Amino acid sequence: MAECIVDRTAVEFSYFCAPCKDGFRNSKRIFYTISSEESEFTCTKCGKTFTSGCKTKKIHSCDALPHRCDECGKRFRTSTLLQYHSYKHSLAWPLRCFICQKGFPATFRLKRHLVTETFECSQCSTSFRANVCPHWRPEFMVDKDEIKCKKCSSGSRANKYMTYIT
């Protein structure tokens, strides 16, 4: 840790005694060792006074989370996270599941929603794997003969809800 001269009038720092500083081991905050024989510091976390400990720059909540939602006031670290959040208010999701109509802000989230299942082609009887919505079940289909492999599908209505795995 870096040694520094302490300016007690600086209000942009938080002060921590040694035991409380240990609670930040996994933190990416930078701590500076401080020591003074003339004056005592007050620990920001526990309120105890000490003459030797650490200080770190204060993090203001608006600095850590600068992007604020105009609808509900919730704050976000990045503008992308704020944009994803805004879809909840507007319901203008850029991606939707074909079956359940659940909205997703990004392709990877839609893909994570889908599940992989094994099907048998109704035309050539080969087994194939496809990603489908977990709410879609072949037993709910009126015409079960429509489940076809990629080679036999040629625009089958049921197959538009599948992503084939090759």
Side-chain angles (χ1 to χ4, degrees), residues 5-164:
I5 299 171
V6 176
D7 177 10
R8 296 274 300 154
T9 61
V11 290
E12 70 272 0
F13 288 100
S14 296
Y15 298 91
F16 296 96
C17 62
C20 290
K21 189 264 178 196
D22 288 342
F24 291 97
R25 283 182 198 221
N26 295 330
S27 172
K28 293 184 180 178
R29 295 172 91 175
I30 298 171
F31 287 89
Y32 301 95
T33 302
I34 56 172
S35 183
S36 173
E37 292 181 16
E38 299 104 40
S39 58
E40 292 184 329
F41 304 97
T42 303
C43 180
T44 306
K45 190 172 181 182
C46 69
K48 292 181 182 175
T49 57
F50 61 92
T51 56
S52 181
C54 295
K55 76 174 184 176
T56 185
K57 281 192 174 183
K58 275 188 182 176
I59 297 177
H60 302 285
S61 62
C62 56
D63 294 339
L65 304 171
H67 303 279
R68 185 178 171 274
C69 176
D70 293 334
E71 295 282 324
C72 65
K74 192 171 180 181
R75 293 186 164 276
F76 298 90
R77 189 173 18 94
T78 66
S79 59
T80 303
L81 292 174
L82 172 60
Q83 182 181 14
Y84 287 2
H85 169 78
S86 71
Y87 298 136
K88 291 179 182 177
H89 295 298
S90 67
L91 300 177
W93 297 99
L95 301 166
R96 287 199 177 270
C97 176
F98 286 105
I99 299 292
C100 66
Q101 296 302 308
K102 183 174 180 178
F104 300 93
T107 306
F108 80 93
R109 294 215 175 146
L110 173 60
K111 286 181 179 178
R112 191 171 59 190
H113 166 73
L114 302 174
V115 293
T116 303
E117 291 191 20
T118 304
F119 298 94
E120 186 176 315
C121 178
S122 57
Q123 191 167 336
C124 68
S125 297
T126 32
S127 290
F128 65 95
R129 292 169 51 87
N131 290 326
V132 294
C133 173
H135 303 286
W136 179 78
R137 294 286 175 244
E139 57 266 17
F140 298 128
M141 289 180 56
V142 177
D143 187 4
K144 292 180 183 157
D145 293 337
E146 286 194 42
I147 299 176
K148 296 177 183 170
C149 65
K150 191 174 189 175
K151 186 177 78 176
C152 301
S153 74
S154 67
S156 167
R157 238 181 46 228
N159 290 53
K160 77 176 185 178
Y161 300 117
M162 297 181 180
T163 307
Y164 295 100

